[in-house]
Structure formats: C-alpha cells, structure tokens
C-alpha cells in the first residue's frame, strides 16, 4: 500500500515536472527569460553615471579610449570630465542645434527612456501604410490638438528622415510630372531664408523644377505662375511670423519653429502643405524625424512615393523613440513640468538677457519682437525666439560675421541666408554653456568697443 | 570641556552634511537618480511577455486596442494570440523581409537590447564627420575583417538610410557634375536585376544621368562609354555570383547578400564602390541602415554631400541600435552561437527542402547552385540562397507569378526584374511560418498537378 502511494506521488510529481518543462519551453521558445533587459539597463545607467562635470556627458556610443567611454564635452570645455574651460576658445552659436532641451529630458529620465529589444520590429513593415507607425501618427495628431498650432483634420501625413528629407520630397510632389509638357516649377522664398531650400533644389537637379534667384516678391507680378513658394513661419533666421507673398496654390509652409518654446501661437496653422520637425519640438535632432501635413491626395501620394523610393520610410527605431518622447510630452502637457513651459522659460530668459545687452550699446541691433497673445499659454507672452538676427550697426563692421568671429563668436552670416552681410544669425537654442559663453564674449566686446569710443 | 567637544562634533557633522548635499546636488544636477531605467525595462519586458503563441509578438509600439497592445501576427495567423491559421490564406513569399533572423535575436535577448535614455545624443552632431558614429564605423570594419567578405583598407565609408538611400547617392556621385558639359551618365544593369535601380534613377530624374533600357551586355561594344553599371553579387533575384559585364570605371557593386547566410565567400570583394545593407546581415531592416565603401575621394565627397543634404545623415538612434547588434554579432563570431552559423543552417535547410520538392516534379525548376568553398566557414558549403528563382516549365504556366497566385502563393514575378514572366522570385528569408506555408501550398499544387497528369 505504502509503495503504491509513493508511486502515485512520484507519478504526479513527474507529470508536474513535465508540465513545467513544456511551459518553459513553449514560453521561452519565443519569449526570453525575465530579466533579459537587465544588462542593457545596467549599461545605460553606468554610462549616465560617469561624471563629466556639468559640461559634458557619456553616451552608450561615445568614443572608447583605453577600453573606457570618454566624456563628450560642450564647446570649449575640455579635460577628462569636461570641467576645464579652454582659454581663448570661441563661443559657437552657429548651428540651430536644439540641445537647450537636454536638461529637460535628464530631469524626465524615467518617462522618456525606451528599451529596444534585439528583436524589436525587425521587418520592413510598419503598423500603418507607407512605413508609418499608427501609434506615432496618432500621437502627432494629439500633440497638434493639444498645442493648437495646426489643423490636422482631413490632412494626410507623411513622415520624413527629418523635415530635411521632406524639403525636396515636397518640391517634387508639387512640381509637374516629368512626363508632362509643363514648364518646370519655379521655386522661391522670401529673403532672408533657410539656405537648405535652395541648396537641395540645386543639388537634386531635375527637369521638374528650378530654383529662382532673388526674393519671392520679385515674382509677385509674374504672368507665368508655376511657382512653389517656401514660407517659413516663424522664419529662420529672423523668427518673424510670415505669410505667403505670391498667394499661389503651391506654398510649402515650414512651421518647424511654430511651437510655444519660440513663439506665441495666435491660431492653428492651416496651410495645404505644412512641414514640421521633431528636432525643434523635443530637441531630438539626432533621431532625424519630421513630418508634413498635406491636404491634396495627389501631392500626398507623390511625397509618399518619394520617401518610399528614397529610403523605404523613416527608421522604425527613430519612430519608436519619438513615440516614447511624445507620450512623455503629452503626459506633462500644460503642467509645470511641460516641455513647452520649460522651453519658453529658458528661451525667454535668454532673449531678455541678450536683447538687454545688445540695447546697452549702439554696436548692434536685434530684430524687433513684441509680446503677443498665445492661445496655448492663454496669455500675452514675451518673445522667446530660437535665433537672434543681429545687425552690426557700425560702418566698419560691414561683414558682421567676420567681425564677431574675430572677437571669438562664431555665427552664421547674413549672406548664407541671401541677406546683407551686415546681419548674422545667433543660435539661442544650444546648451546653457554655449549661451553663457556667447554672453561673456558679447559683454567683453561691447565693453571693449565702448571704452574705445570714450577715448 | 564637554560642551566644546560637542560643538566640534556638531561642526564636523554639519560640514559632512554640507559635503554630501553638494555631492548629491552636483551629481543629480545632470545625472538622474539610479533606477531611472527601471520603468523602460519593465515596459519592454511586459510587452515581450504578452503571449502571442509562436506565430506573433507584441512590440512597444504595437497598435493599442481598448488600452492594450495587440499581438502582431505572422501572415495568415489570426486571433488575439495569433494561434489560429486562417483557412484559404495565401502564403506570401514576395518581400525580401529578413525576419528569419528574429528567433536568433530572441535567443540573444540580453546581449542585443539597448536602453536609449531620453537625453541620448540629442544633438545633430555625431562623434565622427558627416554624422557618422566613430564606434559604429569601427565595428563595421571589424565585421568585414572577421567575415573576410570585403577589403576596407584605404576605403572611405558613407552611411545611408538603408542601402536604399545610397543607390541614388552613388549614381549621382558617379555622374558628371551638372555644371559640366559632359553628356549624362548612362545607368545599366544585367537582367534580371533589382528593380529599385531603375525605379530610383527614373523617379529622381536629373540632367546628370539616365537609365538605359535593356541589359548591360547590350552596351558592351558601345563607343560612347560613360556608363554606370550596377553589379549585384550575389544577384537579386537569382542569387548567382556576378561580375561586371562592361568592365568600365564606374561600377556599383551591390554586395547586400554577400554574407555567409546566403553564399560562400570565395574571396573578399574589392570593388571601388561597394554597397552593403545591414538589413540582410542582422535582419534589422526596420532600422534603415546601410553603407558604401568607396575608393575615390571625389566620389566619396559627392556621396557624402548627398546624404548631408538629403537627410543630414542617418538616424543616430539607428546607429546606436546597430552598434549594439554588431557588438553582439562580433562577440559570437565563428562560434556555435554565431549569427552566420544560425543563418546558414536555417537557409541551407530551407533550400534543401524546397529544391528537393521542386525536383520531385517537372512543373518547376530552380536556379542551379553548387556547393562551393567558403573562406569564412573554411569548408565546402551547400547553397543557401536568399531567393528561389523559380521557373514554370509547363507551356500553360507562361505567367508563373499569376499561376502561383491562383494556387495561393504570392511571389514576385520575373517581369518586375525585367526578365521573362516564366520566372518568379520566392523569398526564402521570411519567418519559418512563411516558409512552412510556402511548402504546404507547393506540395499541394504539385500533388494536384501530378494527379491530373496521371489521369
């Protein structure tokens, strides 16, 4: 009897073991063991914890020297932990590199991180048509609705590897088909304008379109009206809100800066073709992600075809990361921890300090910007532009960029934007270190010039 | 005396408090608190653990229905957990979607995951010139050295958003400058060829180059020799190793499939312009990452300029992920757990089964492939091509793609590759489910046709 009971118990035990083994086999056949993400987590936290003073950081793919990743320092900071300020180093406010938002994401570390598994979405296929993530598209529309800066109802959406990729995609999409007998589209913009429009239109030469030298307004009375007009609002480099000059049917509204960090939102933009760049929203320029909202189906299909042939869509890794970032932004929307609240506060303070310094001498002037009512903040808000469009007022400083360069400030000269070389662009969206160095140099040169004048 | 001692201790304690407070402030000023990655880890592991049978999976950006992410199922599998096989569903072996490698990465979950922080590399700048990750470039060269499939010494490298983006970039780079008076470059390939070459050359029309209809060999005796020749080796669709037909100075060698999963490596490729796609190496087609190795500095500079203007480089998120994946592949190189060992074993078995089935009837034939010595595996190895280039041998099956479609097998017809419609391409690099469905359908139709013939 005893033996029998033992055998029964043994059988039950063996059956249970068999069940467990099968369960483990079938779940681990596709599902890795719990804890598989620990190594990646630890690696990321270790990199983040490497001390680089407050002037640098280590990333997972930072250059490795003697087996260890090295700190990547802000401009002019050097040393193993980026703590030494290089003497006689020029402040660099040339690039529109939106790293002013880095501290925001460091503060929101938990909600903005994403762990990408080795088998995450390997296929070419995305969840939506044209290699688009359905979830990301949904969140982009939510973001526009929350901010109120663009009409998205009845608008198609096309993703791009940065708004950069969409510039030529949209020019081609709006141009006559190369099999038609129409004359090429004539591509124009108002001065000063973002040089990429012309650089791309020239480099990616085609029979379908041609860049027209001069300003858009030169063509206001042109009888032959096959124009594609770029309207950037707020404008890069001068941050002014703009409208179409030609009023034609093919206008590309570049609204990359039409977000509350940089400008009041008087009303939702509602052009037929609108371009946006995530770089200038969350600051993740490196992800190379932007989008266009398009009304006309044929234009949408041509733009989509471009993206398909050019790159088979946008990196799904970028799409995943930006989805996480968008969810994090939406979760804090209109609260104290909101990204636009942070961005506006930062940019407003920088503009206040810069314009105060500039107005303290007659060497320079900046673009005039006034407080304006914003439907996002629901109040009248101060200017907080991404760029200072600085004018050198003195006769001897006809080449403003060269003058500033000789005084240790790197900027982007007016000629790059097809404007007068008396103007130069100061990027105000880089790190706090870059801004402080700019102020230091500007103060020094204003003091120097002021003391020269007083003798 | 006692009071004095107490005060000293208190002072020491207060100083220590001050020191700790400062330390915490300065480290957390930029470094988030340890444990910040836990939320992202948990989220990823939770998604991975959602049961989708062995025929599907949940990703972090899978469509959300009623607040929960839904399983993404393999073709023909349906149901909440993808466990039901749809009756009368066609096997789809059209796309060259390299998901056969998904199980490999699921097995190597720990070493291939990457946790991307919210502030990871936000800047436009990369660690190398032209938006290139220095670490990733280093690992690509290591990979080529480890596999022995390409000479990289003295070769420049350009990254692309997939090899896709580099196709037109290289055509432009090899074409005469649009300001020169040279006639346009004439772009050719041998039949059958990958249709993207022609589709892109036509769509991105330019005065600098023009697609020539016909086969490359048609131009062997052309006196006007400004040709750009695409040579794909192994070829897509027929997997054969190929050489240049024209022997000109502007040959683009597309070596996307020149890896041990798919072919023997007789020797390192050493063309002046060579194209590679990470999609076909690690299987991460979604990351959109490829590269070109270029000998000539001018060609390199023109290709680099293209990528800069087209998209300001390749997504740094993709570059980070692919760096992790490459490190994981290199760590297992030439071991039992190696990706090429896995890939070869999988593809060889699929080819063996398919060719065995095909040779069991006279309905079809496949391209002839022989065992060949491989310098990577250091042995004679069996064929394991990415594609079956199937020929319908029966007179009544002149349109092979249509015939197979009517029998429930979706393929890519020969006409797409500018070849005879008697041929059609079977993709062998999709999931195991896709391959099993293919075999099921092929067996059924062979049996059906065989029983018809025997009456």
């Amino acid at each position: 009897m005893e033996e029998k009971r033992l055998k029964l118990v043994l059988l039950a035990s063996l059956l249970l073991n068999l069940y467990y083994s099968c369960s483990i086999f079938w779940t681990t056949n596709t599902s890795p063991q719990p804890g598989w993400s620990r190594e990646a987590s630890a690696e990321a936290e270790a990199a983040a914890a490497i001390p680089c003073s407050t002037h640098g950081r280590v990333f997972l793919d930072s250059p490795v020297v003697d087996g260890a990743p090295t700190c990547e320092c802000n401009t002019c900071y050097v040393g193993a932990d980026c703590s030494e300020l290089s003497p006689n180093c020029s402040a660099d406010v040339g690039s529109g590199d939106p790293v002013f938002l880095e501290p925001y994401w460091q503060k929101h570390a938990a909600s903005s991180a994403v762990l990408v598994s080795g088998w995450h979405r390997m296929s070419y296929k995305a969840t939506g048509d044209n290699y688009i993530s359905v979830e990301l598209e949904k969140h982009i529309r939510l973001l526009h609705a929350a901010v109120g800066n663009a009409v998205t109802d009845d608008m198609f959406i096309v993703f791009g590897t940065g708004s950069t990729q969409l510039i030529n995609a949209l020019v081609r999409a709006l141009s006559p088909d190369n099999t038609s007998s129409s004359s090429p589209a004539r591509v124009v913009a108002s001065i000063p304008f973002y040089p990429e429009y012309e650089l791309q239109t020239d480099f990616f030469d085609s029979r379908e379109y041609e860049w027209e030298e001069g300003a858009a307004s030169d063509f206001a009375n042109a009888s032959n009206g096959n124009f594609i007009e770029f309207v950037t609002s707020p404008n890069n480099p001068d941050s002014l809100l703009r409208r179409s000059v030609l009023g034609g049917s093919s206008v590309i509204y570049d609204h990359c800066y039409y977000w509350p960090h940089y400008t009041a939102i008087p009303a939702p933009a509602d052009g037929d073709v609108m371009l946006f760049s995530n770089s200038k929203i969350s600051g993740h320029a490196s992800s190379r992600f932007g989008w266009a909202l398009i009304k006309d189906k044929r234009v949408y299909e041509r733009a989509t075809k471009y993206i398909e042939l050019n790159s088979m869509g946008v990196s799904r890794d970028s799409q995943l990361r930006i989805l996480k970032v968008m969810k994090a932004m939406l979760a804090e929307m209109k609260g104290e921890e909101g990204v636009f609240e942070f961005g506006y506060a930062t940019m407003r303070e920088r503009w206040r300090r810069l314009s105060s310094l500039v107005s303290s001498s007659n060497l320079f002037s900046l673009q005039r910007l006034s407080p304006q009512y914003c439907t996002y903040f629901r109040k009248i808000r101060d200017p907080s532009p991404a760029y200072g469009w600085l004018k050198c007022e003195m006769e001897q400083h006809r080449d403003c960029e060269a003058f500033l360069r000789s005084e240790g400030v790197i900027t982007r000269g007016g000629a790059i934007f097809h404007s007068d070389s008396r103007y130069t662009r100061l990027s105000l969206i880089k790190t706090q270190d870059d801004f402080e160095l700019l102020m230091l140099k500007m103060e020094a040169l204003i003091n120097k010039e002021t003391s020269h004048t007083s003798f």
Side-chain angles (χ1 to χ4, degrees), chain A residues 168 171-172 174-187 200-211 226 228 302:
Chain A
N168 190 238
V171 167
R172 273 198 192 267
L174 289 165
S175 296
D177 200 289
N178 66 355
T179 57
S180 83
S181 53
S182 303
S183 47
R186 302 162 77 181
V187 193
Q200 286 202 22
T201 306
D202 282 347
F203 186 86
F204 301 120
D205 87 289
S206 165
R207 293 169 189 79
E208 298 179 349
Y209 50 75
E210 191 111 30
W211 184 267
N226 189 12
I228 295 171
R302 278 171 65 89

Side-chain angles (χ1 to χ4, degrees), chain A residues 161-394:
Chain A
T161 308
S163 60
T164 305
Q165 188 184 30
L166 289 162
I167 288 171
N168 190 238
L170 291 172
V171 167
R172 273 198 192 267
L174 289 165
S175 296
D177 200 289
N178 66 355
T179 57
S180 83
S181 53
S182 303
S183 47
R186 302 162 77 181
V187 193
V188 297
S190 291
I191 287 167
F193 60 83
Y194 179 48
E196 286 296 299
Y197 306 144
E198 180 181 10
L199 289 171
Q200 286 202 22
T201 306
D202 282 347
F203 186 86
F204 301 120
D205 87 289
S206 165
R207 293 169 189 79
E208 298 179 349
Y209 50 75
E210 191 111 30
W211 184 267
E212 288 283 350
E213 292 297 326
S217 52
D218 298 345
F219 305 97
N221 296 318
S223 50
N224 171 12
N226 189 12
F227 290 97
I228 295 171
E229 183 189 358
F230 276 97
V231 176
T232 313
S233 185
N235 195 29
N236 172 5
D238 60 19
S239 305
L240 303 177
L241 291 174
R242 291 185 174 263
R243 297 177 191 277
S244 165
V245 158
L246 300 184
S249 59
S250 294
V251 180
I252 300 170
Y253 288 93
D254 183 341
H255 287 311
C256 285
Y257 297 92
Y258 197 52
W259 297 93
H261 319 305
Y262 316 115
T263 176
I265 308 294
D270 65 351
D272 286 358
V273 177
M274 299 187 280
L275 191 54
F276 294 92
S277 163
N278 182 68
S279 306
K280 303 302 191 294
I281 306 170
S282 71
H284 294 89
S286 56
S287 297
R288 311 314 303 119
F289 185 74
W291 63 89
L293 296 170
I294 301 173
K295 197 165 197 73
D296 182 87
K297 188 163 196 245
R298 185 187 155 276
V299 174
Y300 159 69
E301 285 170 346
R302 278 171 65 89
T304 287
K305 189 82 194 155
Y306 184 106
I307 303 302
E308 179 195 329
L309 285 174
N310 190 207
S311 61
M312 278 194 217
V314 174
S315 159
R316 305 336 160 231
D317 298 340
S318 290
Q319 292 190 44
L320 173 66
R321 190 187 185 197
I322 298 311
L323 173 63
K324 190 71 201 272
V325 155
M326 289 227 169
K327 284 179 174 178
M329 292 195 291
L330 283 160
E332 304 281 6
M333 194 63 54
K334 293 200 171 163
E336 277 177 16
E337 288 297 318
V339 70
F340 300 118
E341 285 69 14
F342 174 91
Y344 171 53
T346 307
M347 299 305 299
R348 177 179 63 173
E349 179 59 12
R350 291 184 184 188
W351 182 248
R352 188 196 65 71
R353 288 176 59 190
L354 178 68
S355 44
S356 174
L357 178 64
V358 163
S359 60
S360 73
S361 96
N362 49 13
L363 273 175
F364 307 109
S365 63
L366 281 166
Q367 74 268 40
R368 289 202 185 289
L369 297 167
S370 311
Q372 195 175 358
Y373 184 78
C374 176
T375 56
Y376 177 75
F377 287 121
R378 293 193 187 170
K379 64 179 189 188
I380 293 175
R381 45 154 287 162
D382 296 318
S384 59
Y387 302 108
W389 186 231
L390 194 77
K391 185 182 180 193
C392 280
E393 295 289 355
M394 303 285 106

Side-chain angles (χ1 to χ4, degrees), chain A residues 3 17 26 40 46 69 86 97 102 130 161 185 208 239 246 252 264 325 345-346 363 403 441 449 454:
Chain A
E3 201 182 299
N17 280 331
W26 285 117
S86 232
D97 205 352
E102 187 180 49
N130 307 314
T161 308
E208 298 179 349
S239 305
L246 300 184
I252 300 170
V325 155
T346 307
L363 273 175
F403 167 56
K441 299 283 184 177
E449 294 290 315
S454 31

